[in-house]
Amino acid sequence: MTFIRSLLFFSILFVLTPPYSLLAILARPLPARVRYRVIGFWTHMVMWALYWVVGLRHRVIGRENLPQGKAVVLCKHQSAWETLALQVILPPVAFVFKRELLRIPFFGWGLGCMPMIAIDRGAGKDALSQVEEQGARLLDLGFWVTVFPEGTRMPPGQTRRYKIGGARLAEVTGAPVIPIAHNAGDFWKRNAFLKQAGEITVSIGPAIDTRGLTAEQINRQAQEWIESEMRRLFPHHYENAPVPAAA
């Protein structure tokens, strides 16, 4: 049954994505917020298919922690699911993602038309500057800049040192940081065809007031909350697993 559901889900993606990529190209001249809503309808349809076809649901803890105004989001990264779900759970978001994704036919074309930040991960300080400059502009436009500080998808129970780009953006702009933990990797594994039915838990932490804090302090607070929350909610993944030091 899992195989059939997953096959049907990918069939829906195959039908939806090419025409929506063309719509995204046509929508490119529109204002950023309008373009986001037009192209983002694809995400809502994909989430609908995950719910009704795959049987993959989610619940959110801590919605009351979402502040008014701008924010930088630092989120655990385990699968492609959170890149979709956060667009539904949060106010308009702008992701920081690796530039290579733009090369994917149809999907990458549509992604390139969204108000996002595509970076060269090997560019070092230039990539950090790009996140700061473009991120500040997107925050002013009303988008919540969303960063996966681990830099890549990590299997459940594993983590790596948090990179500082998102925290640096928060330090420069004074925007609060919203830490988010979840277990999407239990149901949608990295590069896996099979999508498991079940319920993903998303936990939104209290906003971190970044005023007067350095990027290192912001990054450390976010990591401590996320990794502690992961161990609280999903302890079976973290037996004898140490918490890595923040960058």
Side-chain angles (χ1 to χ4, degrees), residues 29-127:
L30 298 174
R33 293 291 291 264
V34 177
R35 189 166 72 246
Y36 180 88
R37 288 196 294 269
V38 171
I39 303 174
F41 189 66
W42 177 89
T43 303
H44 287 266
M45 289 191 290
V46 173
M47 291 296 292
W48 179 92
L50 283 171
Y51 185 93
W52 292 105
V53 176
V54 177
L56 184 54
R57 307 175 305 277
H58 68 274
R59 69 184 181 102
V60 179
I61 303 170
R63 285 188 187 272
E64 66 278 5
N65 291 324
L66 298 178
Q68 300 294 321
K70 62 185 180 181
V72 174
V73 177
L74 298 185
C75 182
K76 191 74 177 172
H77 199 17
Q78 292 187 345
S79 76
W81 180 86
E82 55 268 22
T83 66
L84 301 169
L86 293 181
Q87 297 179 56
V88 175
I89 296 170
L90 300 176
V93 296
F95 290 102
V96 177
F97 65 93
K98 57 184 180 181
R99 190 181 299 276
E100 299 93 294
L101 293 178
L102 297 175
R103 301 171 187 165
I104 301 174
F106 298 112
F107 174 80
W109 304 345
L111 187 61
C113 296
M114 291 283 277
M116 305 283 180
I117 304 173
I119 63 169
D120 177 2
R121 293 192 296 184
K125 290 184 178 180
D126 288 340

Side-chain angles (χ1 to χ4, degrees), residues 43-234:
T43 303
H44 287 266
M45 289 191 290
V46 173
M47 291 296 292
W48 179 92
L50 283 171
Y51 185 93
W52 292 105
V53 176
V54 177
L56 184 54
R57 307 175 305 277
H58 68 274
R59 69 184 181 102
V60 179
I61 303 170
R63 285 188 187 272
E64 66 278 5
N65 291 324
L66 298 178
Q68 300 294 321
K70 62 185 180 181
V72 174
V73 177
L74 298 185
C75 182
K76 191 74 177 172
H77 199 17
Q78 292 187 345
S79 76
W81 180 86
E82 55 268 22
T83 66
L84 301 169
L86 293 181
Q87 297 179 56
V88 175
I89 296 170
L90 300 176
V93 296
F95 290 102
V96 177
F97 65 93
K98 57 184 180 181
R99 190 181 299 276
E100 299 93 294
L101 293 178
L102 297 175
R103 301 171 187 165
I104 301 174
F106 298 112
F107 174 80
W109 304 345
L111 187 61
C113 296
M114 291 283 277
M116 305 283 180
I117 304 173
I119 63 169
D120 177 2
R121 293 192 296 184
K125 290 184 178 180
D126 288 340
L128 275 176
S129 297
Q130 189 177 2
V131 171
E132 290 177 20
E133 293 170 8
Q134 296 187 34
R137 179 176 57 83
L138 288 166
L139 285 170
D140 288 339
L141 289 174
F143 291 92
W144 285 22
V145 177
T146 301
V147 181
F148 300 114
E150 290 168 294
T152 189
R153 291 167 290 179
M154 300 297 296
Q158 297 184 29
T159 189
R160 65 188 301 177
R161 196 175 187 185
Y162 280 35
K163 297 182 180 180
I164 205 164
R168 183 71 58 79
L169 173 62
E171 178 191 25
V172 170
T173 61
V177 163
I178 311 301
I180 296 181
H182 63 84
N183 65 327
D186 285 335
F187 304 92
W188 183 331
K189 298 186 183 302
R190 179 173 183 171
N191 299 328
F193 170 78
L194 296 179
K195 309 292 184 286
Q196 305 292 334
E199 184 177 76
I200 294 169
T201 299
V202 179
S203 182
I204 301 172
I208 299 172
D209 185 352
T210 62
R211 291 172 297 180
L213 299 181
T214 65
E216 289 76 12
Q217 291 170 324
I218 296 166
N219 206 37
R220 187 179 304 115
Q221 286 191 33
Q223 178 172 340
E224 288 175 352
W225 188 91
I226 292 171
E227 295 302 325
S228 296
E229 185 72 351
M230 293 295 294
R231 285 158 174 76
R232 184 183 75 84
L233 292 174
F234 321 111

